[in-house]
Amino acid sequence: MKDHLEFGQRLNRLIARVEAWNYADSDAGAGLPVELARELKALAAAAASSRLKLGVRRAQDALDDGLSAEAVAAALYQIRAELDAGGAQGVSPPAPPSPSR
């Protein structure tokens, strides 16, 4: 559970940085994408499931492809939605038990 909380906190901080980059009035410079790439790599290493790692990879690809901060943020929002929907392990919740007869 602790890892789940830490992953979620790191994800939220990264989303906040990408949003700040998106709304910045001036060019953030070449250093910011490099820093974000480093943070995305660390986030992928901390992901508890292959689905979350894949989501982080999508965000990395958007950044590497030079897409807008909005595209990177969208990939990160998707990860957060999967994390929120999937419970502590970031996976789909188990199916309900079948009724006994």
Side-chain angles (χ1 to χ4, degrees):
M1 185 70 169
K2 181 183 174 197
D3 291 339
H4 171 74
L5 291 175
E6 287 179 18
F7 182 85
Q9 290 171 345
R10 290 172 73 179
L11 177 61
N12 286 331
R13 282 192 303 268
L14 188 55
I15 288 171
R17 289 197 67 196
V18 172
E19 287 175 342
W21 174 35
N22 186 43
Y23 295 115
D25 287 336
S26 61
D27 184 14
L32 185 62
V34 172
E35 290 175 29
L36 292 175
R38 191 175 315 125
E39 289 182 39
L40 284 166
K41 185 175 181 180
L43 191 64
S49 73
S50 59
R51 286 181 72 184
L52 293 175
K53 286 181 194 229
L54 181 61
V56 175
R57 184 67 193 149
R58 277 188 232 118
Q60 286 175 318
D61 288 346
L63 184 66
D64 292 346
D65 291 346
L67 298 180
S68 69
E70 290 174 340
V72 177
L76 295 173
Y77 291 138
Q78 176 109 22
I79 298 165
R80 186 165 61 189
E82 288 179 18
L83 188 66
D84 291 344
Q89 296 301 316
V91 294
S92 299
S98 58
S100 11
R101 291 187 177 209

